[in-house]
Amino acid sequence: MTVAPSLRPLGNALGTEAVGVDLARDVDDATIAWIERAFAEHPVLVFRDQQLDAAALAAFGARFGRPQPHILEQYRHPDEPMVSYITNVAKDGGIDRFGVKRASSWHTDETYEEALPRLAILHAVEMPATKGGTIFADMRAAYDALPAATKQRLDGLIALHGHTNGPDAVKLYGAAYVRKSETARPVRRHPAVRRHPVTGRAVLFVNPTHTHGFAGMDEAAGLRLIEELRDHATQEQFTYYHSWRVGDVLMWDEVATMHRSAGDARADERRIMLRTIVHPN
Ligand SMILES: [Fe+2]
């Protein structure tokens, strides 16, 4: 007899372990339906002690929508284009010392694109001995807790998104790099508050890496608002630090959450993960 899977909280705000699922074996329709129900409530869902190759990870992702190839070919897995390598190990085996800082500003993936992803999945292959975690923020709870006046201000507001021209990306990458990366890139417009497509809940959809302003608002006021919303949403009561173990499969909701690499591991330790980003069908 198979035992039904169960849920166990990992953090106070979000972060939930799904116990009793072997993703290499029991991904039948009933299990997927169970995961979908759990995921609607728990937007950071962790499966421990898994062992998936790139093809199996892409196949698992495909149960929830359409996995997409990484924009940059150099990051794609050689056998499975729908899976990318997140690694600080260079081709010659050396460590990319900037790797520890990459993606360490708060963001939601790919909001510089018109078509937004539904969810992403990371699978830990090699991790530093300590630290090197990923931090998630619950943008549903963050929205609910905003003062009424801020909610009113955000109502109907359109946010402007670029690749790395949000205030926190400028700090992380430097103004010169940002100018180069934004050349000829279209500005994307997304509502500052989105309705979650599955649950219908209101979600704060502004992130300080890609959002660099709001339609009809002057630049300085826009930057102040982005920073104010970041400071609000990243308070401890809305966040969860995930300490990775090799074998973790972690799926997160790309509408309901924002995340960042903690950037706190030693720069010379290897960190390798497989990732797939899934768009809605
Ligand atoms: Fe990311």
Side-chain angles (χ1 to χ4, degrees), residues 23-133:
L23 296 178
R25 287 180 45 182
D26 8 284
V27 269
D28 53 24
D29 289 349
T31 306
I32 295 294
W34 181 88
I35 293 171
E36 282 278 19
R37 282 194 302 277
F39 191 56
E41 286 305 308
H42 306 283
V44 175
L45 202 54
V46 180
F47 306 84
R48 300 276 198 195
D49 304 315
Q50 305 293 324
Q51 211 176 0
L52 301 183
D53 60 17
L57 184 63
F60 178 58
R63 308 296 294 273
F64 303 98
R66 289 178 297 114
Q68 297 283 295
H70 197 282
I71 296 163
L72 299 175
E73 221 166 296
Q74 78 227 51
Y75 291 116
R76 290 183 199 158
H77 191 280
D79 309 320
E80 181 47 70
M82 303 306 172
V83 170
S84 52
Y85 266 122
I86 308 286
T87 177
N88 62 349
V89 182
K91 283 219 162 68
D92 64 4
I95 306 283
D96 165 14
R97 297 187 76 92
F98 186 73
V100 73
K101 288 291 166 210
R102 190 161 291 126
S104 64
S105 59
W106 283 104
H107 65 281
T108 304
D109 292 319
E110 298 182 359
T111 66
Y112 47 85
E113 298 289 348
E114 179 119 40
L116 296 168
R118 177 186 181 204
L119 58 90
I121 308 171
L122 275 176
H123 185 24
V125 178
E126 266 190 67
M127 297 314 282
T130 58
K131 300 190 177 175

Side-chain angles (χ1 to χ4, degrees), residues 86 103 105-110 120 122 134 136 210 252 254 258-261 275 277:
I86 308 286
S105 59
W106 283 104
H107 65 281
T108 304
D109 292 319
E110 298 182 359
L122 275 176
T134 305
F136 294 88
H210 304 312
W252 74 92
E254 290 278 21
M258 173 164 86
H259 62 276
R260 72 183 195 90
S261 163
R275 183 185 76 169
I277 291 196

